[in-house]
Amino acid sequence: MQLPTRYRPTAAGALLLSARRCLAWLPVLVLACVPAFAALAETRAWLDRETATMGDAVTLNIETDQSGVAPDYRPLAASFELGQPYRSDRNGRTLFGIALTPRRTGALDVPALVVGRERTAPLRLQVTGARAQQPRGDAFVEVLVDDPAPYVQQGVGLVVRLHYATPLLSGELVQDAPDGASLQRVGDDVQSSREVGGRRYHVVERRYLLVPERSGPLVLPPARFRGRAAANFFDDFFGGGGGRRELSAQSPPQTLQVRAQPAGAPQPWLPLRELRLRYLAAPTAARAGEAVEIAVEAVARGVTGAQFPDIPVPRVDGAQVFPERAEITERFIDGSPQLTVVRRYAVVPLAPGRLRVAGPRIDWWNVRERRAEAATLPELMLEVAPGNPDAAPVGGTALPPSDAMAGNAVPMHPASAGNRLWPWLALALAVLWLATLAWALSMRRRRAHAAGEGTSAGVLRSRPVALDLQRVLDGGSFDEVVRVLQRMADPPAADLDALLARLDDPRQREALEAMRRALWAGDGDASAARVLLRSAFRGGPRWKAVATAPREPLPPLYPER
């Protein structure tokens, strides 16, 4: 905004004008922070599955950031038998859980529960009749997969359930990873109880994410249990076991038929069971120079956060777009992983008029229908009103500069004591805000100076170490191994070819080439290539030395001609 030439503010006037402009943004900042605080204070509840059979237990999970609170589970007793509740603390949030066994079939309502100062949302569980089952032994193991014929790189939910009818003194439950796939454990064990063949069993449920790396038959090894149970009366009477007896059980092996990536499938390859998009915040009006928030939520079944691509940031002509970091929530529902991603954008229009914001689009492959699909949202049209940079400060009335200089002041009533106090409070807030801004800029310059002198400690911490590499070599996919190696290089390698050029050990280069040929060209055995890869990188990557010219401490006294 240009001021009239005859109005030349003094230094104090310029400072006051800057303070007024800063104060004009304070309500915007406060209003922008309120939704964030509300989101942080949200208490959420969900079931680990939406359907169950009579006699099976489901787990109710409740997450909150309130401290020193606990859910009131008493309203659940009317429709469910309640198990032993548990809790765990993670990243400043508390997770509560309790096993619920339905008392009847049909659609059962899980009522809203009071948690501290908040209430959870009501849920619904569909319960069907129990299947006729034969009595089993003292312990048995069953393994369930959510898709027996998945696609390559599709996330498959795998659930291992240990049933035991006698008290256990100790035990170990093991599920080995199959050749040609990665297996990752998800979440904590869930304990419940169920009736099988007229006998009551305690149940320990363990969840995994299985990701096939190649097409063809995939043999899933049996899950094995070995443990010790307390001896019963007859064992003690006949002198067997010395007060304890051995228990062992294993599930039957299974074979999954992994499908290859279909020809013409959308890229990047994203096989899912379901994908839904919706707007959480979709404004229709805005002001020039003021930010409005657009929020998009994606709910995907059969994928984790590491596999899901970023929700695209819209390109808006006539506005600036500032995306925030995505909020990711991973759950296990009905035996398969479910991912919820929320992405927020701040859109700042540059001029009044009509603003078009394109809706997001994510191409994916429907593994149920075996066809390509696209999840889209409609575009948003914002009516942008002119901005108001000359807003009057709180507690007073602004006059045109020309009238003030000409002496045409309008007589006003004497200001009250409260009105006289507001400008001083506003000025104090402005001074504090400017001081905070100056301190932040000073700290930023210090950090930048420290980063220029050498590699900062934060960068060192962000670079993967040998332990991270060993973890992905043992249970991660080939793409994860490549990404970790790229980040371990200094500076990071751009792609796999650049990574191969930076490695000095020929065995390590050959191991990466062998795995690439086995997975992407179908030339070789991926299992043998993985063994070679683990052996070659057991001691960490070996990089080629980078020759650097020594720096002269001082410029030459006599420059060369």
Side-chain angles (χ1 to χ4, degrees):
M1 180 186 68
Q2 290 186 345
L3 297 176
T5 55
R6 61 174 177 168
Y7 179 65
R8 301 183 181 275
T10 63
L15 178 61
L16 182 59
L17 182 60
S18 300
R20 288 177 177 176
R21 290 179 177 175
C22 294
L23 285 173
W25 283 98
L26 288 179
V28 178
L29 296 175
V30 173
L31 292 177
C33 294
V34 169
F37 290 138
L40 289 176
E42 182 183 7
T43 296
R44 302 181 297 109
W46 70 93
L47 296 169
D48 68 336
R49 69 197 70 180
E50 299 173 351
T51 60
T53 58
M54 194 63 183
D56 288 347
V58 299
T59 301
L60 173 63
N61 300 281
I62 301 175
E63 187 181 44
T64 183
D65 63 349
Q66 303 178 79
S67 59
V69 300
D72 182 7
Y73 296 117
R74 289 176 296 180
L76 302 172
S79 302
F80 303 94
E81 296 180 13
L82 306 184
Q84 185 67 29
Y86 66 92
R87 60 171 291 170
S88 62
D89 297 314
R90 297 177 182 174
N91 300 326
R93 301 182 68 86
T94 303
L95 177 65
F96 298 93
I98 188 171
L100 307 179
T101 303
R103 296 183 182 273
R104 61 182 182 274
T105 59
L108 300 186
D109 291 325
V110 179
L113 301 181
V114 176
V115 184
R117 303 181 306 274
E118 303 174 9
R119 297 175 66 90
T120 63
L123 305 172
R124 173 160 292 189
L125 177 68
Q126 188 68 36
V127 183
T128 59
R131 299 180 297 270
Q133 294 178 318
Q134 298 297 324
R136 310 288 289 268
D138 289 339
F140 66 93
V141 180
E142 62 179 0
V143 175
L144 306 175
V145 294
D146 68 342
D147 193 344
Y151 285 90
V152 171
Q153 297 179 357
Q154 174 186 337
V156 179
L158 187 148
V159 178
V160 178
R161 292 177 181 167
L162 167 65
H163 300 68
Y164 59 96
T166 59
L168 292 180
L169 300 177
S170 62
E172 182 182 25
L173 181 62
V174 178
Q175 173 64 69
D176 295 327
D179 293 334
S182 64
L183 187 68
Q184 176 186 354
R185 186 172 170 180
V186 179
D188 300 325
D189 292 344
V190 178
Q191 299 189 27
S192 60
S193 62
R194 62 184 299 199
E195 187 173 315
V196 179
R199 190 176 183 183
R200 200 70 180 176
Y201 287 87
H202 299 282
V203 181
V204 175
E205 184 172 293
R206 187 169 294 176
R207 294 121 177 220
Y208 296 88
L209 178 68
L210 178 70
V211 180
E213 297 177 349
R214 65 169 184 262
S215 59
L218 179 65
V219 178
L220 183 64
R224 307 183 310 276
F225 168 72
R226 290 187 180 276
R228 293 178 178 178
N232 55 32
F233 170 78
F234 294 100
D235 292 331
D236 288 338
F237 183 79
F238 290 105
R244 61 190 180 188
R245 57 195 177 96
E246 303 291 333
L247 284 181
S248 63
Q250 71 175 26
S251 65
Q254 301 186 46
T255 301
L256 280 63
Q257 298 296 329
V258 182
R259 303 189 184 102
Q261 184 179 144
Q267 299 297 324
W269 170 239
L270 184 62
L272 300 173
R273 300 170 66 89
E274 182 183 11
L275 178 60
R276 303 192 307 270
L277 295 179
R278 67 165 180 161
Y279 283 117
L280 297 182
T284 58
R287 282 185 176 273
E290 299 181 8
V292 294
E293 182 187 73
I294 298 176
V296 179
E297 179 190 66
V299 179
R301 295 285 297 272
V303 70
T304 62
Q307 299 172 291
F308 195 75
D310 291 334
I311 299 177
V313 180
R315 297 179 60 89
V316 184
D317 295 333
Q320 291 180 313
V321 181
F322 303 94
E324 297 182 9
R325 181 177 297 178
E327 305 167 12
I328 297 178
T329 303
E330 295 181 341
R331 303 173 182 171
F332 221 82
I333 297 179
D334 284 344
S336 63
Q338 175 173 302
L339 178 71
T340 302
V341 180
V342 177
R343 193 80 186 272
R344 303 180 189 274
Y345 316 95
V347 179
V348 182
L350 302 179
R354 172 167 287 192
L355 196 65
R356 174 182 174 272
V357 181
R361 173 190 175 99
I362 300 178
D363 296 315
W364 61 290
W365 182 265
N366 191 328
V367 300
R368 291 177 174 174
E369 304 295 333
R370 304 182 187 180
R371 65 185 182 190
E373 295 191 8
T376 60
L377 288 177
E379 66 180 21
L380 300 178
M381 300 300 297
L382 276 67
E383 295 294 337
V384 183
N388 189 17
D390 299 328
V394 179
T397 304
L399 297 178
S402 58
D403 292 347
M405 297 300 296
N408 298 328
V410 180
M412 301 182 64
H413 296 286
S416 63
N419 289 339
R420 289 196 302 268
L421 182 61
W422 272 110
W424 292 104
L425 289 177
L427 181 59
L429 288 175
V431 171
L432 289 176
W433 187 84
L434 291 173
T436 304
L437 180 61
W439 174 80
L441 292 175
S442 175
M443 293 299 294
R444 182 177 180 181
R445 285 195 295 268
R446 291 180 183 177
R447 287 194 296 267
H449 178 69
E453 293 179 352
T455 304
S456 66
V459 174
L460 289 175
R461 285 194 297 269
S462 64
R463 183 172 299 153
V465 295
L467 185 61
D468 300 322
L469 177 61
Q470 189 63 40
R471 178 178 56 81
V472 297
L473 284 173
D474 291 339
S477 64
F478 179 58
D479 292 336
E480 292 174 334
V481 173
V482 173
R483 284 196 295 268
V484 169
L485 287 172
Q486 287 179 245
R487 293 171 55 200
M488 291 181 73
D490 185 15
D495 50 23
L496 179 55
D497 292 331
L499 176 63
L500 291 171
R502 302 273 291 278
L503 288 171
D504 188 48
D505 191 341
R507 291 183 63 250
Q508 295 180 349
R509 295 196 299 269
E510 177 58 30
L512 289 173
E513 288 285 7
M515 180 62 80
R516 176 161 65 174
R517 291 193 301 270
L519 293 180
W520 299 340
D523 181 13
D525 185 4
S527 301
R530 179 177 287 274
V531 173
L532 180 61
L533 197 65
R534 292 172 179 168
S535 175
F537 285 93
R538 187 172 304 277
R542 298 180 180 88
W543 308 107
K544 293 181 179 178
V546 179
T548 58
R551 294 184 56 188
E552 293 293 338
L554 295 173
L557 184 59
Y558 300 101
E560 297 180 0
R561 296 182 177 179

